[in-house]
Amino acid sequence: MYLSVQREDFDVGAELARLRESSAGATTAGGAEAGAIACFVGLVRADNLGEEVRALTLEHYPGMTERALAETIEQAQQRFPLIAVRVIHRYGRLNLGEQIVFVGVSAHHRQAAFSACEFIMDDLKTRAPFWKKEETTRGERWVEARDSDTAARARWEA
Amino acid sequence: MYLSVQREDFDVGAELARLRESSAGATTAGGAEAGAIACFVGLVRADNLGEEVRALTLEHYPGMTERALAETIEQAQQRFPLIAVRVIHRYGRLNLGEQIVFVGVSAHHRQAAFSACEFIMDDLKTRAPFWKKEETTRGERWVEARDSDTAARARWEA
Amino acid sequence: MLKPMSVRILYFAALADRLGVRSEHVELPPGIVSVDGLRTHLAARGGVWADLGTFPKLRAAVNQRMAGGDAPIQAGDEVAFFPPVTGG
Amino acid sequence: MLKPMSVRILYFAALADRLGVRSEHVELPPGIVSVDGLRTHLAARGGVWADLGTFPKLRAAVNQRMAGGDAPIQAGDEVAFFPPVTGG
C-alpha cells in the first residue's frame, strides 16, 4: 500500500509504472503477478451544477486524512484479492482541469481491480476529511455533499 | 474515439495525457470537461490455471479486430455518457509482465467512467477476435475461453 | 472535587468560516462526556457559537476518527467538527 | 444454370493449427446459402476437414462480423471460422 496526501501534482504514468513494479513478484513463486491494473483520476471540472468553476481549494484535516485513506485501502484489501494499491489525494488550490486524486489497483483478475478501484473512490468520497471550496463566476462557495455519493457508498453494503 | 491494434508496446502515461487533452473542451462551453478518468491495463500473468506462463502470442484477425473494437466502443458510448475513449490492443509475442491492452475513458462523473471501462473490457473479451497461445513450462497451448468472461458480459444485459 | 477536563477542538471548512475559529483549547466543566454534550456546551457560549448547535448535517471526529454524537470524550482528546466531506 | 459461388475462407488459432490451413478461396456448388451449409460442405471433404464439422464451440464471422450458423453467405463473402476468442 502507498498513500500520499500532498499539495504537488502527480505523474499518472510514473504512478502506474510503480504500481506495475510493486505488482511483479518473483516469477518462480507463481501467482504473485498482476494480470490487471485499474486506475482512476479525478479532475477539477468546469461545470458543477450549472455554474462555471474556475478553480477550487481543497481543505483537509491533516493526520485524520491519512488515517481515513489508510482505512479505506485496508477495507478494499479485505474485500477484494488485491496485489498492490496506490492512492494520492491533493489539497490546496487547484485550477480547472488539474488532477485531484489518483487511485491505482493491481490484481490477478480484472473484476477485483475494477471493484476495488471503484470501492476506494466511493468510500473515500464519504469518509476522507476533504472539503472543496469552488471559485465560480458568481463568487466562492463550499461544495455541498451529494446524496449520490452516499448512495454509491451504500451499494457496497447491499 | 481512438483505437489501435498494434504490435508495439504503449506508454500508459502518454495515453492518459492524450485522453485528458481530448477531454478538455472550451471552458466557456461549460460541461465539456471531464471530472473522471478510468483506465484499465491488462498484463501477461505468470500463473494461469496453475501452470507457469513464460510468454504468450496473440493472434488476431486483422480488419475484423478493428471493426469489433469500434463496435465495442460505440456500444459503450451509447450506454454511458462519455467524453472520450481510447483503446489499444497488442498482438504478437509478449513476455511475462508486458502490457496487452489499454482502455481509457473520460466522463463528467466517475460512475460512467468506471462502468464504461469495465463494459469495454467485458465486451472486448467476448467479441474481439484475438486468441492467446501460452508458452508454459509444459509447452505451448491455446488458452481456452472462460465461462466467467461470458458471465461478465451477460451482466450488462440484466 | 473533579478537575476540569482539557480538550483540543478543531473546526473545518464552512463551519470554520462561520465561527471564525479553526481551533481552540477548552477547559470543560465536569459532566461533559460525549460529543453531543460538548457541542451543546460550546453552543451555549452564545453569539456565533449558537450556530454550532444548529449547523446542518454536522459531523464530528474524536482523535481523528469519525464519531457519532454519543461517542465518549476524555481529557486530552482531539475533537473535530465539520460539514459532510466533499473530497475525491 | 447457376454459376459456382466463390468465397474466401479464413481459419484462426487452434483451428488453423489443426487444419494446417489459414486461408483458402473455394468455389461452392449451388445450394450452399448459410454458414452451417458451408461448414458441412467443407467438412465433407474428409480427412482433417472432418474436424471442422466436430470442432467444439466453433465460431464464425461473415465479412468480419460475428455470424450464427444460419447467417446467409453470398458470392464474394469473406467467411472466417475460429475458436471462442480469448483477447483482453
Side-chain angles (χ1 to χ4, degrees), chain A residues 123-142:
Chain A
D123 195 60
L124 176 163
K125 280 263 182 189
T126 59
R127 179 209 287 264
F130 289 99
W131 300 272
K132 289 193 184 105
K133 184 189 257 180
E134 292 178 336
E135 298 168 32
T136 77
T137 43
R138 292 172 53 182
E140 291 193 344
R141 62 157 182 228
W142 288 98

Side-chain angles (χ1 to χ4, degrees), chain D residues 11 19 24 28-29 32 35-54 81:
Chain D
Y11 307 97
L19 301 176
E24 58 177 333
L28 300 178
I32 295 176
V35 167
D36 275 346
L38 175 61
R39 181 180 176 183
T40 302
H41 173 74
L42 296 169
R45 297 185 295 190
V48 72
W49 292 98
D51 287 355
L52 184 65
T54 57
F81 292 104

Side-chain angles (χ1 to χ4, degrees), chain B residues 3-154:
Chain B
L3 147 62
S4 173
V5 180
Q6 63 190 43
R7 192 179 286 276
E8 309 75 51
D9 197 11
F10 49 82
D11 175 341
V12 180
E15 291 308 318
L16 286 167
R18 288 183 196 114
L19 194 64
R20 246 178 101 183
E21 280 160 31
S22 59
S23 308
T27 60
T28 49
E33 287 80 9
I37 291 179
C39 94
F40 178 83
V41 182
L43 307 169
V44 180
R45 284 201 305 133
D47 187 7
N48 194 6
L49 300 176
E51 284 182 33
E52 203 173 304
V53 176
R54 293 165 173 168
L56 59 78
T57 299
L58 267 158
E59 180 175 339
H60 77 123
Y61 180 174
M64 179 169 168
T65 314
E66 290 80 355
R67 185 189 289 263
L69 291 174
E71 284 170 3
T72 292
I73 295 171
E74 278 156 24
Q75 269 206 48
Q77 286 171 325
Q78 281 166 21
R79 286 166 183 256
F80 308 104
L82 306 180
I83 296 172
V85 180
R86 292 182 80 84
V87 174
I88 301 174
H89 203 302
R90 294 175 69 193
Y91 61 88
R93 188 169 184 279
L94 304 176
N95 287 311
L96 194 60
E98 279 199 76
Q99 302 183 132
I100 303 171
V101 59
F102 169 83
V103 177
V105 172
S106 66
H108 286 88
H109 298 291
R110 73 184 183 284
Q111 283 176 356
F114 276 124
S115 295
C117 199
E118 193 163 6
F119 171 82
I120 288 170
M121 280 305 303
D122 286 347
D123 195 60
L124 176 164
K125 279 264 182 188
T126 59
R127 180 209 286 262
F130 289 98
W131 299 272
K132 288 193 185 107
K133 184 189 256 179
E134 292 178 337
E135 299 167 32
T136 77
T137 42
R138 293 172 53 182
E140 291 193 345
R141 62 157 182 228
W142 288 98
V143 174
E144 299 267 330
R146 290 172 185 266
D147 290 341
S148 60
D149 286 329
T150 310
R153 178 60 186 82

Side-chain angles (χ1 to χ4, degrees), chain A:
Chain A
M1 179 207 301
Y2 171 88
L3 146 63
S4 174
V5 180
Q6 63 189 44
R7 192 179 285 277
E8 310 75 51
D9 197 10
F10 48 83
D11 176 340
V12 180
E15 291 308 319
L16 286 168
R18 287 183 197 114
L19 193 64
R20 246 177 102 184
E21 279 159 31
S22 59
S23 307
T27 60
T28 49
E33 289 80 11
I37 290 178
C39 95
F40 178 84
V41 182
L43 307 169
V44 180
R45 284 201 306 131
D47 187 7
N48 194 8
L49 300 175
E51 286 183 30
E52 202 173 308
V53 176
R54 293 165 173 168
L56 59 78
T57 298
L58 266 159
E59 180 175 340
H60 76 123
Y61 180 173
M64 179 169 167
T65 315
E66 289 80 355
R67 186 190 290 263
L69 291 175
E71 284 170 2
T72 292
I73 295 171
E74 278 156 26
Q75 269 206 48
Q77 286 171 325
Q78 281 165 22
R79 286 167 182 256
F80 308 103
L82 307 180
I83 296 172
V85 180
R86 292 181 81 84
V87 174
I88 301 174
H89 203 302
R90 294 175 68 192
Y91 61 89
R93 187 169 185 279
L94 303 177
N95 287 311
L96 194 60
E98 277 199 77
Q99 302 183 133
I100 302 171
V101 59
F102 169 83
V103 177
V105 172
S106 66
H108 286 88
H109 297 291
R110 74 184 184 283
Q111 284 176 356
F114 276 124
S115 295
C117 199
E118 193 163 6
F119 171 82
I120 288 171
M121 280 306 303
D122 287 347
D123 195 60
L124 176 163
K125 280 263 182 189
T126 59
R127 179 209 287 264
F130 289 99
W131 300 272
K132 289 193 184 105
K133 184 189 257 180
E134 292 178 336
E135 298 168 32
T136 77
T137 43
R138 292 172 53 182
E140 291 193 344
R141 62 157 182 228
W142 288 98
V143 173
E144 299 266 331
R146 290 173 186 266
D147 290 340
S148 61
D149 286 328
T150 309
R153 178 62 185 81
R155 285 181 307 156
W156 298 98
E157 305 307 331

